[in-house]
């Protein structure tokens, strides 16, 4: 790990912390520690306004190059921003898919016209994005997508038909980046396109999926002759897999440190409850808390190793990044189990109608999904074996 913070970086840390302290007030004070996975239903309109407040202060897209409207922050300063953001209890970002995934992908692979069209809305916090990858028959196996895109020469537009599922925040989004098959005879990762699709149009229908937590941050999205402008395909037809894999590399960027600060906030809440109800005196619970603390530190050190290594501008993954999803999702699921055990019998009860879950009850239920979405644990192990250990896909048995 080569990541270290200079005096200039620490001055930047103070600037970030001071701005957050000054602005997480008034109508935004109630947003502290709210939002994010498992809590996306909380204060959606206020969090949209918070995105625009961040933009006014120059705190969106801090890692984007200055020529594209960002601050051009170093890796160290980006780490500081995400850490201080989570430490301040600032709300889960409704613009994170645009800022962290769509924007960097358009910068890396898009045309100047696409960059001029889409980046300003992400920077200003006024346009939100969702991710059109998973389908009913293509979840962890992304190369199995069936959604099709054909080019209509008369309308000079791409026409998209198919279904996406588990689409986070689709009901709040203005745009969706969609993986669709441009060659109907193609199989696996060949013949795919990466499209930038407007959500507010007659050919797009969003249906919320109610989760075990009673909330609906995931959605089904149906494309029925949805239109996409001719020049809103990123790269050429057939380049979709390359662009999609580049995007997944950006997903494992500096925001991982902010994610870990959110995990720390959750662990702190578990410890607070354990101290309040006396469960901290149980040796087994104390050991599990200590293990969660130690593994969270390991997660941080691996992320620092990942961030301080060589990385491509196209989002290509390093070896260290291959294990990240498997590690954090398993850790988070285990934290949820610890949380409900710390709550004891009270964790099995809801006080009264409307029977809203406590923070730790919601954590316990929601983290079951962590080891499934974004590539299940089984798929992650296959990727590690094939790309990290360079094992053959099909073992040759003697």
């Amino acid at each position: 790990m080569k990541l270290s913070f200079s005096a200039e970086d620490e001055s930047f840390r103070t600037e970030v912390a001071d701005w957050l302290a000054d602005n997480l007030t008034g109508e935004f004070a109630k947003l502290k520690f709210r939002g994010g996975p498992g809590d996306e239903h909380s204060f959606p309109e206020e969090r949209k306004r918070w995105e625009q407040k961040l933009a006014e202060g120059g705190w969106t897209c801090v890692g984007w190059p200055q020529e594209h409207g960002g601050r051009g922050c170093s890796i160290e300063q980006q780490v500081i921003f995400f850490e201080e953001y989570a430490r301040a209890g600032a709300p889960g970002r409704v613009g994170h898919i645009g800022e962290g995934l769509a924007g960097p992908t358009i910068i890396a692979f898009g045309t100047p016209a696409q960059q001029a069209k889409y980046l300003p809305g992400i920077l200003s916090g006024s346009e939100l994005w969702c991710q059109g990858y998973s389908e009913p028959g293509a979840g962890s196996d992304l190369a199995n997508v069936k959604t099709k895109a054909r080019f209509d020469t008369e309308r000079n537009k791409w026409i998209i038909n198919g279904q996406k599922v588990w689409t986070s925040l689709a009901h709040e989004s203005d745009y969706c980046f969609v993986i669709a098959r441009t060659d109907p005879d193609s199989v696996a990762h060949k013949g795919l396109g990466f499209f930038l699709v407007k959500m507010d149009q007659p050919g797009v229908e969003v249906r919320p999926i109610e989760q075990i937590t009673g909330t609906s941050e995931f959605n089904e999205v149906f494309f029925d002759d949805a239109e996409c402008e001719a020049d809103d395909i990123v790269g050429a037809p057939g380049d979709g897999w390359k662009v999609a894999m580049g995007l997944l590399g950006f997903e494992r960027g500096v925001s991982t440190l902010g994610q870990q600060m959110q995990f720390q906030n959750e662990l702190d809440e578990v410890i607070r409850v354990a101290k309040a109800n006396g469960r901290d005196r149980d040796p087994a619970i104390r050991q599990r808390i200590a293990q969660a603390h130690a593994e969270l530190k390991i997660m941080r050190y691996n992320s620092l190793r990942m961030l301080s290594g060589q990385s491509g501008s196209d989002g290509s993954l390093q070896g260290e990044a291959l294990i990240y999803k498997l590690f954090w999702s398993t850790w988070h699921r285990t934290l949820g189990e610890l949380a409900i055990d710390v709550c004891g019998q009270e964790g099995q009860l809801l006080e009264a109608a409307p029977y809203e879950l406590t923070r730790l009850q919601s954590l316990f239920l929601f983290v079951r999904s962590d080891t499934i979405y974004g590539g299940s644990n089984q798929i992650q192990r296959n990727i590690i074996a094939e790309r990290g250990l360079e094992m053959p896909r099909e073992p040759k048995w003697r």
Side-chain angles (χ1 to χ4, degrees):
M1 293 177 294
K2 300 177 182 178
L3 207 63
S4 60
F5 302 117
S6 66
E8 181 181 357
D9 292 334
E10 293 302 334
S11 176
F12 178 77
R13 184 186 299 277
T14 300
E15 181 185 0
V16 175
D18 288 349
W19 189 91
L20 290 168
D22 291 340
N23 288 275
L24 274 172
T25 57
E27 69 166 322
F28 300 125
K30 63 185 177 183
L31 302 184
K32 286 187 176 182
F33 300 105
R34 300 308 303 268
D39 193 35
E40 292 288 11
H41 61 288
S42 296
F43 307 110
E45 296 305 317
E46 292 88 343
R47 286 165 58 212
K48 289 178 187 177
R49 291 196 291 274
W50 173 249
E51 287 290 324
Q52 295 173 27
K53 184 72 171 180
L54 286 169
E56 291 171 6
W59 295 112
T60 57
C61 311
V62 295
W64 287 16
Q66 291 181 349
E67 60 267 29
H68 292 295
R71 278 186 175 243
C73 288
S74 65
I75 290 292
E76 290 81 3
Q77 290 177 340
Q78 292 177 63
V79 168
I80 286 171
F81 174 78
F82 284 108
E83 287 188 337
E84 292 304 315
Y85 188 91
R87 183 176 286 116
R93 299 282 304 279
V94 293
H96 69 283
I97 296 177
E99 177 175 323
L101 300 181
T105 301
I106 294 170
I107 290 172
F109 299 101
T111 64
Q114 290 169 342
Q115 293 165 1
K117 181 177 180 179
Y118 292 112
L119 297 185
I122 299 174
L123 280 160
S124 66
S126 60
E127 294 178 349
L128 305 180
W129 287 73
C130 59
Q131 181 174 9
Y133 273 23
S134 295
E135 298 182 2
S140 296
D141 184 13
L142 180 60
N144 198 38
V145 295
K146 304 299 183 186
T147 297
K148 292 181 172 59
R150 62 177 177 83
F151 190 72
D152 188 316
T153 54
E154 292 184 3
R155 286 188 277 182
N156 194 37
K157 293 181 179 180
W158 289 95
I159 306 301
I160 299 177
N161 285 278
Q163 177 187 356
K164 299 295 180 177
V165 72
W166 310 124
T167 310
S168 299
L169 298 178
H171 59 295
E172 301 284 2
S173 296
D174 302 286
Y175 294 97
C176 181
F177 49 87
V178 176
I179 297 294
R181 203 163 288 282
T182 56
D183 180 355
D185 298 322
S186 64
V187 294
H189 60 274
K190 297 181 180 179
L192 299 175
F194 189 99
F195 297 91
L196 309 176
V197 181
K198 186 176 181 179
M199 294 291 286
D200 185 15
Q201 60 168 298
V204 177
E205 179 185 358
V206 177
R207 299 181 189 171
I209 301 172
E210 184 170 334
Q211 301 150 208
I212 194 172
T213 56
T215 59
S216 304
E217 67 190 66
F218 297 132
N219 303 270
E220 294 177 284
V221 182
F222 295 86
F223 299 95
D224 184 11
D225 283 348
E227 296 183 349
C228 179
E229 299 296 331
D231 54 1
D232 279 342
I233 179 173
V234 179
D239 286 346
W241 184 257
K242 178 182 71 174
V243 178
M245 292 301 100
L247 181 144
L248 292 179
F250 297 125
E251 191 173 35
R252 290 163 171 82
V254 292
S255 61
T256 58
L257 274 298
Q259 178 192 48
Q260 290 162 33
M261 285 301 300
Q262 293 169 349
F263 290 166
Q264 183 66 60
N265 291 339
E266 292 171 345
L267 179 57
D268 289 344
E269 176 67 7
V270 170
I271 294 171
R272 185 194 68 79
V273 172
K275 289 180 177 179
N277 66 13
R279 296 285 284 166
D280 63 324
R281 294 190 291 273
D282 183 330
I285 292 293
R286 292 174 66 89
Q287 185 175 19
R288 291 168 65 186
I289 290 174
Q291 183 170 349
H293 170 80
E295 291 178 351
L296 186 55
K297 293 297 183 184
I298 292 170
M299 196 188 309
R300 173 181 170 80
Y301 295 143
N302 183 67
S303 294
L304 293 174
R305 178 177 64 161
M306 180 172 68
L307 292 171
S308 61
Q310 296 296 318
S311 61
S313 60
D314 60 354
S316 55
L317 290 178
Q318 308 167 62
E320 296 89 345
L322 295 175
I323 67 172
Y324 183 71
K325 169 54 167 64
L326 176 64
F327 191 94
W328 79 253
S329 62
T330 304
W331 180 91
H332 205 208
R333 183 184 63 187
T334 303
L335 179 69
E337 294 167 353
L338 171 61
I340 207 69
D341 288 344
V342 162
C343 291
Q345 293 182 345
E346 290 184 0
Q348 313 302 316
L349 304 174
L350 296 175
E351 290 186 4
Y355 303 110
E356 293 185 358
L357 298 170
T358 67
R359 183 179 176 188
L360 295 189
Q361 287 172 329
S362 181
L363 172 68
F364 168 71
L365 293 173
F366 186 84
V367 296
R368 309 305 298 179
S369 68
D370 286 343
T371 57
I372 301 173
Y373 72 77
S376 70
N377 277 11
Q378 292 78 10
I379 293 294
Q380 295 298 324
R381 291 187 178 98
N382 286 347
I383 293 172
I384 293 168
E386 293 168 12
R387 298 178 60 184
L389 303 178
E390 298 184 350
M391 296 175 64
R393 180 180 292 268
E394 297 292 338
K396 296 180 179 179
W397 303 106
R398 294 186 178 179

